[in-house]
Amino acid sequence: MLVVALGVGFGLSWYALSDGRLFGASQYGPWVTWTRAGAPEPDPYTRAFITRNAALQLGQAEGLTLVATTDSDGRRLDRACRYRVDGRTPTSTFWTLIPVDDHDGSVARPDGPPGFHSSRIARSNDGSMQLYFSKTLSPLNWIELTGDGPFSLVLTLYDTVIFSGVGASETATLPSIIRESC
Amino acid sequence: MVRTLLYLLGGLLLGLVIHLVVILILPRISENAAYTQVASIEALNRTTLLALPKAGEANPLHLDPDMSYGLCKLDLSAGPGEVTGTLPLAFWSVAVYDSTGTVLYSTTNRDGIGQTLDLGIFDPAQTRLLAEQKIDISPGLLIVEARTDEVFVVVRLAPPHPSVRDRYEAQLERLACRNIAI
């Protein structure tokens, strides 16, 4: 009984604060966010997540951070592959998209930009974007990855209206992450 | 058989209790929260720039490498706090955190406050004195009520181009962060 209790108790807690989708986190395609992380009165799960994450959370008025650890087909992001982030982003003053490792350090080439910035990318005529992450040369907007192993993409929307009441249509505009080759 | 099922059920229920206890006490016992991490940074009553991690380095506070960060810590037991100054003509935002890393208040310069930041932080007792007009404050001061005496403020500034980062950060560092004499 004790083994079951400890397994359920700590296992459920670990799941709640890492994946968290059944508790405080929301998922939109490959993007996961804790929508209450910047609130003055977070729920107990979000409060525990804030503690465990130990990050300087963005306040609700400042923006929102979304993290993708998988591509749109649910496969873990791997630096051996080439990925295309394709589509649009929800309305925001600007956004950044950074590839990071398990310690949240950028895995982009050290002497280049750490990631994409919305004001410094080339877009299609219809306003959509194609952003590439890979170790090998890629067309259009490209961030060169370094190192090996899994990575995550951190999309930070500053001054966004993603959850300001027009949520359904805004979250639908999050871009896809497409694995092109490995 | 029945006894085994009862043991399993008991284990499950005890596990749920353990889970709830872990979620509720984690924010109180964690030694790795954001506040613990900023505790080692010399920023009491002054604004200190946070060093951005280089590519490949760990990034425990999850800082966005495209942003500049000014941190100031305040102890409200010495009096209400204020963060005041003029910031460059670029996007910036400010967040007030309590000792659990929860964002108490946040805003951006898109909310009509222009380039001037004038923020006052009061604990509950000081807020009462403020309501009774026993504390003189400058008109236009943004008033934030904090639940705890130990708070920290993070100002995020988005330099429009890497070439102006140093100049913008110098201005960010000049923000006054102090206790108000009452």
Side-chain angles (χ1 to χ4, degrees):
Chain A
M1 185 170 86
L2 202 59
V3 174
V4 174
L6 292 173
V8 170
F10 289 106
L12 200 57
S13 303
W14 177 84
Y15 171 77
L17 302 181
S18 50
D19 186 287
R21 273 174 295 173
L22 295 175
F23 298 91
S26 304
Q27 183 165 14
Y28 307 96
W31 303 101
V32 175
T33 182
W34 286 73
T35 52
R36 299 277 301 157
E41 296 286 348
D43 57 77
Y45 284 105
T46 304
R47 196 181 289 276
F49 165 77
I50 291 170
T51 303
R52 183 174 182 268
N53 201 30
L56 292 180
Q57 303 292 339
L58 279 174
Q60 275 186 329
E62 297 181 289
L64 190 73
T65 300
L66 301 109
V67 180
T69 55
T70 66
D71 63 18
S72 292
D73 291 326
R75 293 170 295 203
R76 186 77 174 93
L77 297 178
D78 192 308
R79 279 178 262 183
C81 303
R82 180 164 94 168
Y83 295 94
R84 187 177 85 242
V85 177
D86 199 308
R88 296 167 185 273
T89 53
T91 308
S92 59
T93 297
F94 69 99
W95 51 260
T96 61
L97 180 60
I98 314 289
V100 299
D101 58 18
D102 290 342
H103 304 290
D104 267 276
S106 172
V107 295
R109 184 166 57 93
D111 54 347
F116 289 113
H117 187 289
S118 57
S119 66
R120 295 176 216 133
I121 58 167
R123 295 174 189 270
S124 307
N125 287 337
D126 63 358
S128 65
M129 59 187 190
Q130 288 81 42
L131 312 174
Y132 286 91
F133 293 91
S134 65
K135 294 172 89 167
T136 53
L137 184 64
S138 299
L140 297 169
N141 305 291
W142 172 49
I143 290 292
E144 182 181 348
L145 301 178
T146 58
D148 298 299
F151 72 104
S152 304
L153 290 173
V154 179
L155 175 64
T156 308
L157 305 165
Y158 291 95
D159 195 22
T160 180
V161 296
I162 185 170
F163 292 120
S164 64
V166 287
S169 58
E170 282 292 327
T171 51
T173 59
L174 284 164
S176 311
I177 304 173
I178 298 153
R179 189 166 90 179
E180 292 205 331
S181 60
C182 281
Chain B
M1 180 66 182
V2 174
R3 179 176 290 186
T4 307
L5 282 175
L6 282 175
Y7 276 133
L8 281 176
L9 187 64
L12 197 65
L13 290 174
L14 188 58
L16 288 175
V17 172
I18 291 172
H19 165 68
L20 291 176
V21 169
V22 167
I23 294 298
L24 291 174
I25 68 166
L26 186 67
R28 297 172 199 274
I29 62 167
S30 173
E31 294 180 355
N32 193 37
Y35 189 78
T36 317
Q37 296 194 53
V38 301
S40 60
I41 301 171
E42 289 285 330
L44 185 63
N45 291 351
R46 68 185 173 110
T47 304
T48 301
L49 294 177
L50 292 182
L52 294 172
K54 294 183 173 62
E57 287 182 358
N59 182 13
L61 290 171
H62 298 208
L63 304 180
D64 186 335
D66 272 312
M67 302 291 280
S68 297
Y69 293 81
L71 167 76
C72 101
K73 295 189 282 191
L74 288 161
D75 182 0
L76 303 183
S77 63
E82 71 170 348
V83 181
T84 180
T86 304
L87 286 160
L89 192 59
F91 174 88
W92 54 263
S93 66
V94 58
V96 181
Y97 299 80
D98 68 11
S99 54
T100 66
T102 301
V103 182
L104 299 173
Y105 172 82
S106 63
T107 189
T108 74
N109 62 337
R110 306 287 179 195
D111 289 342
I113 52 177
Q115 285 177 262
T116 306
L117 175 62
D118 211 0
L119 185 75
I121 306 161
F122 300 79
D123 69 16
Q126 293 156 358
T127 307
R128 267 198 307 279
L129 292 176
L130 194 64
E132 294 166 5
Q133 297 185 329
K134 290 179 179 170
I135 301 177
D136 283 332
I137 56 167
S138 57
L141 189 74
L142 280 171
I143 296 168
V144 177
E145 184 178 347
R147 291 182 287 253
T148 58
D149 279 339
E150 290 178 326
V151 296
F152 63 98
V153 180
V154 173
V155 180
R156 293 171 166 85
L157 176 65
H161 194 273
S163 61
V164 298
R165 180 183 284 269
D166 289 347
R167 187 160 53 86
Y168 278 36
E169 286 186 344
Q171 197 167 344
L172 175 61
E173 203 169 16
R174 283 199 291 273
L175 278 179
C177 170
R178 60 198 167 209
N179 291 110
I180 303 171
I182 54 172

